[in-house]
Amino acid sequence: MRVPVIPVTDSPLADAELLRRYRRGDAEAFAVLYARHRLGLFRFLCGLCGDQSLAEEVFQETWLSLIRSASEQREAVQFKTWLYQIARNRLIDHWRKLGRREALYDQFDERQHAEADPAPTPEQQLGLVRDRERLQAALADLPAEQREVFLLRAHADLELVEIAELTQTPAETVKSRLRYAVNKLRRLLADPTAEEVSA
């Protein structure tokens, strides 16, 4: 039986239903899933590993793993949580092969992974670059566990319970890590003019 093709834009279908449709032959369903989750997933990987080429490789492997997987997601687990778990596991595999973790920096290519934004003015662009550099430095300053929880919350928009399940960490520990991460980021990013004044 041929599954009816759904338009890529703004599908009201849930992720789990889109995955089922894709597995039954609806390629457009996969396009919707990819469009929904590509940006957050790639940003999460970049933020976590700090290496754009490694993030790109893991990003591709994650989607390939999803395509090749014959197993269905468990009903209790949201598609998004499952997708990020696959990505996290692929990244851990890479780190094990390397025997170390890479230095953290976030180089995100908007042209590859997002819709084009209207071009900012040179002043706005300079401000955006400075803000991005400050955020990048602040994220790099977080302990790895806090950074991971923060990125899962910020880019994957996962609930604390979902992050706890994904990272196999008690929910209270996840809550504490997120609180510490947010407080530290607030302190580090509190005064953007401080550097300029002291320079």
Side-chain angles (χ1 to χ4, degrees), residues 86-160:
I86 293 169
R88 185 175 184 264
N89 289 344
R90 296 291 85 76
L91 183 58
I92 289 169
D93 290 344
H94 275 274
W95 281 338
R96 285 183 184 138
K97 282 183 213 165
L98 294 171
R100 60 188 171 83
R101 289 183 59 164
E102 300 296 316
L104 285 166
Y105 61 93
D106 183 8
Q107 295 176 328
F108 178 70
D109 187 350
E110 289 286 345
R111 291 167 299 173
Q112 270 191 318
H113 297 282
E115 300 298 321
D117 290 333
T121 65
E123 294 82 9
Q124 290 172 323
Q125 200 158 11
L126 181 60
L128 288 170
V129 168
R130 285 182 180 159
D131 288 347
R132 197 175 309 130
E133 287 171 354
R134 290 179 66 244
L135 179 59
Q136 183 179 312
L139 281 170
D141 203 37
L142 291 176
E145 296 85 3
Q146 291 178 20
R147 182 171 49 252
E148 179 180 45
V149 168
F150 177 81
L151 291 169
L152 284 168
R153 186 76 180 112
H155 293 310
D157 197 28
L158 295 179
E159 298 298 326
L160 296 180

Side-chain angles (χ1 to χ4, degrees), residues 184-199:
K184 186 164 188 178
L185 288 172
R186 276 191 188 131
R187 280 198 315 275
L188 292 171
L189 300 171
D191 187 6
T193 59
E195 297 174 31
E196 295 169 17
V197 171
S198 62

